[in-house]
Amino acid sequence: MFKCKLNDELEIRLLEIRHAEELYHLTNQSRTYLREWLPWVDFTKDVDDSKAFIESTLKQFGNNDGFQAGIWYKGNLAGVIGLHHINWVNKSTSIGYWLGEGFQGKGIMTTACKAVIDYCFNELNLKRIEIRVATDNHKSLAIPERLGFEREGCLRSVEWLYDHYVDHVVFGFINHN
């Protein structure tokens, strides 16, 4: 399966069914923290929900339409990173990511994003990558800025988060090769 060692402490691997329990526990441990910015958290009620998510991502990968990979830090599942969908006609995609609360502030997501960007441009030969982030999610906003993405605009009231809409900043990165 898809696997990429990023350094001595960090690797990304395609999520597999056997990771469902670990993924559920990570989500559950960070539930309050993740819920602030992620609309799917309340739909993850048990291990079967994580299993169903992984099954859908394996179909996504099998259909050559992106992937969802676990991020392992020192052997522990720390979060998830992936491509939402690949538009093969326009050679573009968008990256989504999240980390469990206890794994913040270690540079994990920046390193994982760099690897996914490299994969998108060098292996998939894509032209454009987007990252969309809620305007008030300052930790997540810092990642595309740190990686050299260009701020392209703001989508107003684009995502429903439980009881309110949030705006998203759209960041773009273009492969000039």
Side-chain angles (χ1 to χ4, degrees):
M1 288 255 128
F2 175 93
K3 181 178 178 178
C4 181
K5 185 170 175 139
L6 307 179
N7 59 40
D8 289 341
E9 299 179 330
L10 194 59
E11 71 179 17
I12 57 177
R13 290 186 250 150
L14 198 63
L15 287 169
E16 300 175 35
I17 300 299
R18 65 189 173 99
H19 301 131
E21 190 168 328
E22 193 174 4
L23 179 62
Y24 173 74
H25 288 301
L26 177 64
T27 302
N28 201 42
Q29 289 168 352
S30 298
R31 186 171 296 280
T32 302
Y33 174 79
L34 295 173
R35 192 177 188 276
E36 184 175 2
W37 301 115
L38 300 172
W40 50 263
V41 175
D42 284 1
F43 298 106
T44 306
K45 297 175 183 158
D46 55 36
V47 174
D48 285 340
D49 294 326
S50 293
K51 181 181 175 187
F53 167 73
I54 292 170
E55 287 171 342
S56 73
T57 68
L58 290 171
K59 288 177 187 170
Q60 176 192 17
F61 183 71
N63 290 333
N64 199 28
D65 192 28
F67 65 90
Q68 300 299 315
I71 303 168
W72 273 264
Y73 177 72
K74 296 183 178 179
N76 297 304
L77 183 61
V80 175
I81 189 167
L83 305 179
H84 292 124
H85 161 73
I86 299 175
N87 180 327
W88 288 106
V89 172
N90 293 310
K91 296 189 172 236
S92 64
T93 193
S94 64
I95 298 174
Y97 50 79
W98 63 270
L99 279 177
E101 187 172 12
F103 296 96
Q104 300 287 317
K106 302 177 187 315
I108 292 170
M109 194 53 73
T110 300
T111 302
C113 279
K114 283 180 188 176
V116 170
I117 292 164
D118 181 63
Y119 174 76
C120 287
F121 288 158
N122 296 319
E123 299 295 324
L124 300 179
N125 197 32
L126 298 181
K127 178 70 175 173
R128 174 184 170 78
I129 300 171
E130 276 187 12
I131 295 178
R132 296 182 181 192
V133 182
T135 55
D136 292 331
N137 187 344
H138 301 292
K139 288 181 181 179
S140 201
L141 283 168
I143 293 167
E145 290 172 344
R146 196 177 298 126
L147 292 169
F149 278 70
E150 195 169 316
R151 189 181 289 240
E152 296 181 336
C154 181
L155 301 173
R156 297 176 300 144
S157 295
V158 72
E159 184 177 42
W160 178 253
L161 281 178
Y162 306 102
D163 62 356
H164 66 285
Y165 281 97
V166 295
D167 299 344
H168 280 187
V169 176
V170 178
F171 292 91
F173 198 110
I174 306 297
N175 182 1
H176 294 290
N177 294 332

